[in-house]
Amino acid sequence: MERILKLGVVAIFLLCLLPMSKELFEFTRFILIVLFGILAYTEHLNANIKLFGFYLAMIVLFQPFIPIPLDKMMWNVVHLVLAVAVLGSLFLVKKQKVQPIEE
């Protein structure tokens, strides 16, 4: 399921590179914070603190309530860089299971 969520995030990032209305762009931000929230939760369960922090930072970056003022070209660069980063995490990160503590 994690792979499908990451592919969905990459697809939304690439969709944001196309010209679209401001309302649709805001809607994609809501979708992104939900997807990043689910991914952050799964990384928290897997005890992967680095990716957990990355996903929390992405939630803050894409939250639609207090938007970060960047021009269209800068948002395109952000979307491309993050699409590559999420794709990289899709192929480079191996599944880690939390081992129960033995007493």
Side-chain angles (χ1 to χ4, degrees), residues 66-85:
I66 304 172
I68 297 174
L70 296 175
D71 61 344
K72 180 67 175 168
M73 179 58 88
M74 198 61 184
W75 274 115
N76 285 345
V77 171
V78 168
H79 289 138
L80 279 176
V81 168
L82 291 176
V84 170

Side-chain angles (χ1 to χ4, degrees), residues 7-70:
L7 287 174
V9 168
V10 170
I12 291 174
F13 281 149
L14 296 177
L15 176 70
C16 288
L17 295 176
L18 300 173
M20 60 182 168
S21 67
K22 182 174 171 56
E23 292 81 18
L24 185 58
F25 187 70
E26 292 294 323
F27 182 66
T28 60
R29 294 178 114 183
F30 279 108
I31 295 171
L32 283 172
I33 62 171
V34 169
L35 291 177
F36 280 131
I38 295 169
L39 288 170
Y41 180 71
T42 58
E43 293 304 328
H44 174 69
L45 292 179
N46 291 335
N48 191 345
I49 301 302
K50 291 179 184 177
L51 276 178
F52 174 69
F54 172 75
Y55 293 136
L56 284 182
M58 294 304 99
I59 290 171
V60 170
L61 179 66
F62 288 104
Q63 55 84 24
F65 307 110
I66 304 172
I68 297 174
L70 296 175

